[in-house]
Amino acid sequence: MPLQSYGVLAGRAVASRREGGADTPHYQIHLQDAQGTDFRVAVNVMSQQSPSELLYLVDDDFTHPILDLLPGDGWTALPAAAGGANLDFIRGNLFDRSAMRLLPPDAAGPDNDLADLLDHYVGQAVADPAARIHAFGERWPTEATVPDKVFGFLPGNGVHDIHMNQGNSGAFRRDDGVWQDGGLLLHFPDRSRFVAVFLAFQSQIWHTDDQTGHALGDEPGQPLGSGDGSVRIVGALVNPAGPAPEAEAVTLLNASPAPVDLTGWRVADRMKRTCPVPGGRLAAGASVRVPLGEGVQLGNGGGTITVLDPAGLKVDGVAYTGSQAAREGWTLVF
């Protein structure tokens, strides 16, 4: 079953602590909301399942339409659905998963482990009174009479599962769900930027059922479908010139050295409405313009575009913001 209390916590970082040991160590962050309520954010830096090292990606100038949807201060519950501020590593087109890298949880020496990486960015947030951290994950029940085991505040209170929460194996399948992935977004207003930190376990699979979040296939790192980078979204006419109805379109490129059969492929918008891609073989190095129809809409305020193969599995995906779509008649290039 999915996480029982998924949402996002927004607050000011006041302290952090590295946690060692072999029992699934965490990187701990002490957050306070505007009312002075204390929270602990427990970030996994090692997996209980082999291999233990986590996959990570840091984008230190993160842009995405969800930034315009982030709720205000404190804890906000987020129902599992598309179109909100929820994170979904597969459906939300937050990043290119091929850019994820491995880091050990804690190693001797500077700047060579996951805790060092978190220290770098969280330390900046602690030092900046204007900075805010948005921590996505599951909130644990408030412990009214039990002080927090790391920072000692009372009542105990916090958020965990700050990582991908689908495509799990074994006992962790119970946590699977869609639109409920964890992550950290660090906002530095004085620098007008967000830093995003995304974490996943090597044992997780990157094609999952759209209803349950359960893995499709059984080989981590070897996903089903055509998501091998051969066909990419390279452009989109989001804001055509002229009155409605607008003739929106998406451009696909076959970057591979071999033809790709596009029969049965579809393009999906942010709300997961789909329309067909023109069928037939797309030659190596060739591109195809896909006119959008059947209710598929690329909103001018920002959105996502996803290409699906005949089995409904993700081939490629991109995201764009409202500012990128503001110029009428221009094709966005990805």
Side-chain angles (χ1 to χ4, degrees):
M1 64 192 312
L3 302 183
Q4 295 301 293
S5 55
Y6 176 75
V8 57
L9 170 66
R12 163 101 168 86
V14 297
S16 64
R17 185 172 301 175
R18 303 163 71 113
E19 184 180 56
D23 184 19
T24 61
H26 292 74
Y27 185 90
Q28 308 285 1
I29 306 170
H30 182 180
L31 292 189
Q32 285 183 342
D33 66 15
Q35 287 70 48
T37 304
D38 295 289
F39 298 85
R40 175 165 54 89
V41 177
V43 184
N44 287 78
V45 293
M46 188 177 81
S47 173
Q48 292 185 37
Q49 291 184 310
S50 182
S52 61
E53 293 182 349
L54 266 65
L55 291 160
Y56 82 94
L57 182 142
V58 173
D59 184 339
D60 62 8
D61 191 11
F62 180 67
T63 59
H64 192 280
I66 66 165
L67 297 182
D68 294 329
L69 302 174
L70 290 177
D73 187 77
W75 170 257
T76 301
L78 296 173
N86 306 49
L87 302 186
D88 190 303
F89 288 6
I90 297 170
R91 296 159 188 84
N93 299 344
L94 298 163
F95 57 89
D96 181 354
R97 77 175 184 89
S98 67
M100 298 194 92
R101 298 292 181 263
L102 291 170
L103 268 182
D106 197 3
D111 302 326
N112 62 356
D113 57 49
L114 189 51
D116 288 340
L117 182 145
L118 291 167
D119 262 342
H120 175 74
Y121 291 103
V122 175
Q124 292 181 37
V126 172
D128 182 352
R132 294 294 181 270
I133 293 181
H134 292 77
F136 292 79
E138 182 176 43
R139 185 173 180 179
W140 64 72
T142 300
E143 300 165 308
T145 61
V146 181
D148 181 77
K149 70 175 186 178
V150 176
F151 297 108
F153 55 76
L154 186 71
N157 197 15
V159 179
H160 62 159
D161 289 330
I162 315 293
H163 49 68
M164 184 174 174
N165 289 305
Q166 57 184 308
N168 290 298
S169 60
F172 296 100
R173 276 172 55 90
R174 65 179 182 269
D175 296 331
D176 282 347
V178 298
W179 298 106
Q180 58 154 37
D181 286 329
L184 297 175
L185 298 181
L186 294 80
H187 185 208
F188 297 93
D190 294 345
R191 290 176 254 174
S192 300
R193 70 183 178 106
F194 278 84
V195 174
V197 180
F198 301 119
L199 302 169
F201 300 114
Q202 294 184 65
S203 57
Q204 291 172 313
I205 292 177
W206 286 78
H207 280 300
T208 64
D209 183 86
D210 283 335
Q211 303 302 316
T212 66
H214 291 330
L216 300 174
D218 57 4
E219 291 292 333
Q222 301 294 325
L224 300 174
S226 307
D228 59 0
S230 59
V231 176
R232 307 299 299 264
I233 301 169
V234 294
L237 182 57
V238 174
N239 187 7
E246 298 174 319
E248 298 171 342
V250 171
T251 301
L252 307 181
L253 171 71
N254 178 5
S256 79
V260 175
D261 186 359
L262 301 182
T263 302
W265 288 35
R266 300 183 73 84
V267 170
D269 63 15
R270 184 174 187 173
M271 301 307 298
K272 303 311 169 188
R273 297 170 295 226
T274 69
C275 68
V277 172
R281 293 164 69 84
L282 182 63
S287 61
V288 60
R289 187 174 186 271
V290 182
L292 302 185
E294 300 188 10
V296 174
Q297 297 179 358
L298 304 181
N300 294 348
T304 62
I305 309 167
T306 306
V307 179
L308 306 172
D309 72 6
L313 301 178
K314 180 178 175 179
V315 174
D316 191 29
V318 296
Y320 64 91
T321 65
S323 60
Q324 290 175 306
R327 291 197 298 175
E328 188 177 80
W330 285 76
T331 294
L332 302 185
V333 178
F334 302 105

